[in-house]
Amino acid sequence: MDVNLEISSEDFKRNFFGKKPLLMRGACCTEDFSWHDANGIFARRDVMANDFKLSSDGIIPKSRYVESYWDIGELRHRLIRPAVYDALRDGATLIANKIKNEPIVESLARQIGRFTGCQVVSSAYAAFGTRDSFRAHWDTRDVFAFQLIGRKRWIVYEPSLPDPIYTQQSKDYEQIYPCPEKPCMDFVLEAGDLFYLPRGWWHNPLPLGEPTFHVSLGVFPPLAMDYLAWAVGRAPSFAALRKAIPDWEQGQIPIATMARHIADFLCSPENYHQFRDEHRAAMRLDSPLAIDILGDPSGVNMLDEQRVQISSNNLDDLEKNYVIANGTKVKLDGTGLATIRLIAQMPGISVGKLLERLPGIDPLKLRVLVADLCRQDVLEVVE
């Protein structure tokens, strides 16, 4: 499912990312998405996981809609279908968080990941009544909401606590930072629409008494506090930070020295870029398996019709002639850099098209390079 955002990544980051909401009408075509697809997404989840939920005026206990049974000596769990159907008919919302290995959801997540350069976590919501899932609340992550089936009304309020982090959930802070009385946005999201909402903005998505299904993609950029924590983790290498400070009199000089050191350390571009590289190296994407292509010792080269993309959401490192993907850092020569840059510009490009667009590179060398990067999990084969 292709996404048409009609705004460049640079413009989005400059004017909207982390700053204000953005409603994008008709951002994707949903004609080929049906309840068959939505049912499959829910059916393939682990119903006992905390990420699978039924919500109706709060989270419904699993004992009310999940049963256990023995299957040839193995304990399994399954949905109690009548209980789920009754709850949905009574206005409940079915929720699946941290969705993995779902091609349609993964396609949307990859496109938003490349657009933002961030790690993405996917969720899905289905409802048929008029009751909200969680009442007005804020999220501690920026969200891209794709409406794939039906409609949903969104009521949005400005933040009362700017940029909350994961320990600052609205349910725990709403008495101190209450939701504003007057909304700043009130609209209906329709099939194919996309809504971006920064963290901290109060919102209440409301079903309209008709079938509705949407996918929510949470994005996670590194935070300033992550950089600070990373810097503090390197503190033992600096002698002044190992000094004892038994009282204020003896601690003033070491503390002042420590503050200057930490400030100098944080303001170093070299240190920031090292932090950024380590942050990206820790990220993982679920690249599809291709054992028939990459596990067969007789299949040395890639075929013309095989299509590839980079298994990373952030490619800023290409400016320094290397790429980081799934924990692997690969330094690139001229051939590798030209190849990776073209794949970055055209995700899903075929090997045959690569050969056409890069006539100056020996075809055998290019095929071997692409196959090797696929085996290293830097590139991935896509259908």
Side-chain angles (χ1 to χ4, degrees), residues 316-323 329-334 337 341:
D316 293 345
D317 308 314
L318 292 181
E319 298 176 0
K320 297 186 177 181
N321 297 348
Y322 65 86
V323 63
K329 181 177 180 179
V330 178
K331 293 185 178 180
L332 302 167
D333 59 13
L337 190 59
R341 279 180 172 163

Side-chain angles (χ1 to χ4, degrees), residues 21 60 68 73 79 95 103 119 138 152 180 188 210 215 270 296 300 304 343:
I60 299 175
S68 303
L79 291 176
I95 304 167
Q119 191 170 11
W138 70 58
K152 210 164 197 178
V188 174
E210 60 190 49
V215 167
E270 291 78 15
D296 183 354
V300 178
D304 283 359
I343 297 172

Side-chain angles (χ1 to χ4, degrees), residues 11-286:
D11 286 346
F12 174 77
K13 291 176 182 178
R14 185 184 309 112
N15 298 311
F16 293 95
F17 201 17
K19 300 177 178 71
K20 59 183 178 181
L22 176 62
L23 175 60
M24 292 164 273
R25 297 288 189 188
C28 62
C29 178
T30 60
E31 290 180 358
D32 294 332
F33 188 88
S34 69
W35 279 109
H36 173 78
D37 301 302
N39 280 318
I41 290 170
F42 286 117
R44 289 184 285 270
R45 309 277 64 80
D46 177 3
V47 299
M48 283 302 292
N50 291 332
D51 296 320
F52 189 94
K53 304 172 184 178
L54 257 180
S55 177
S56 178
D57 297 326
I59 302 301
I60 299 175
K62 287 191 182 291
S63 58
R64 289 170 51 183
Y65 65 93
V66 176
E67 65 175 345
S68 303
Y69 67 101
W70 288 97
D71 181 20
I72 315 180
E74 183 172 350
L75 182 64
R76 298 185 183 274
H77 304 89
R78 69 186 294 272
L79 291 176
I80 304 172
R81 263 64 171 178
V84 173
Y85 300 149
D86 286 346
L88 290 170
R89 289 167 63 89
D90 194 41
T93 297
L94 186 60
I95 304 167
N97 294 324
K98 298 181 181 177
I99 297 171
K100 295 285 188 180
N101 299 316
E102 292 291 344
I104 295 173
V105 176
E106 183 67 17
S107 173
L108 296 173
R110 285 298 185 92
Q111 292 175 79
I112 294 302
R114 286 193 292 264
F115 183 69
T116 61
C118 298
Q119 191 170 11
V120 179
V121 174
S122 309
S123 302
Y125 301 80
F128 301 86
T130 58
R131 190 178 304 158
D132 55 13
S133 303
F134 296 109
R135 63 193 175 86
H137 64 284
W138 70 58
D139 290 326
T140 57
R141 60 193 180 279
D142 294 43
V143 167
F144 289 80
F146 284 91
Q147 188 70 33
L148 299 185
I149 298 176
R151 305 180 302 157
K152 210 164 197 178
R153 180 186 176 192
W154 284 69
I155 306 175
V156 180
Y157 307 82
E158 293 185 351
S160 49
L161 174 64
D163 301 321
I165 61 172
Y166 64 94
T167 58
Q168 296 171 316
Q169 303 291 329
S170 56
K171 62 184 177 63
D172 301 319
Y173 282 77
E174 60 186 350
Q175 299 300 320
I176 306 172
Y177 303 99
C179 178
E181 294 183 5
K182 185 178 179 180
C184 60
M185 299 178 74
D186 187 343
F187 62 93
V188 174
L189 202 65
E190 301 186 2
D193 293 345
L194 169 61
F195 180 52
Y196 164 72
L197 188 69
R199 61 190 166 111
W201 288 67
W202 290 87
H203 58 286
N204 192 10
L206 294 165
L208 296 172
E210 60 190 49
T212 176
F213 177 88
H214 85 269
V215 167
S216 176
L217 305 178
V219 297
F220 294 82
L223 306 180
M225 61 181 293
D226 298 326
Y227 183 33
L228 176 61
W230 178 85
V232 170
R234 280 140 186 81
S237 63
F238 186 58
L241 274 70
R242 302 196 300 268
K243 296 288 187 181
I245 50 172
D247 53 47
W248 177 245
E249 186 68 28
Q250 299 182 62
Q252 290 182 65
I253 293 177
I255 290 171
T257 305
M258 173 180 65
R260 288 193 298 271
H261 169 73
I262 291 293
D264 290 343
F265 187 94
L266 291 173
C267 292
S268 162
E270 291 78 15
N271 290 332
Y272 171 76
H273 288 127
Q274 184 181 348
F275 158 75
R276 184 197 63 180
D277 283 355
E278 291 184 18
H279 177 82
R280 291 175 184 170
M283 293 171 56
R284 297 292 185 274
L285 295 181
D286 291 322

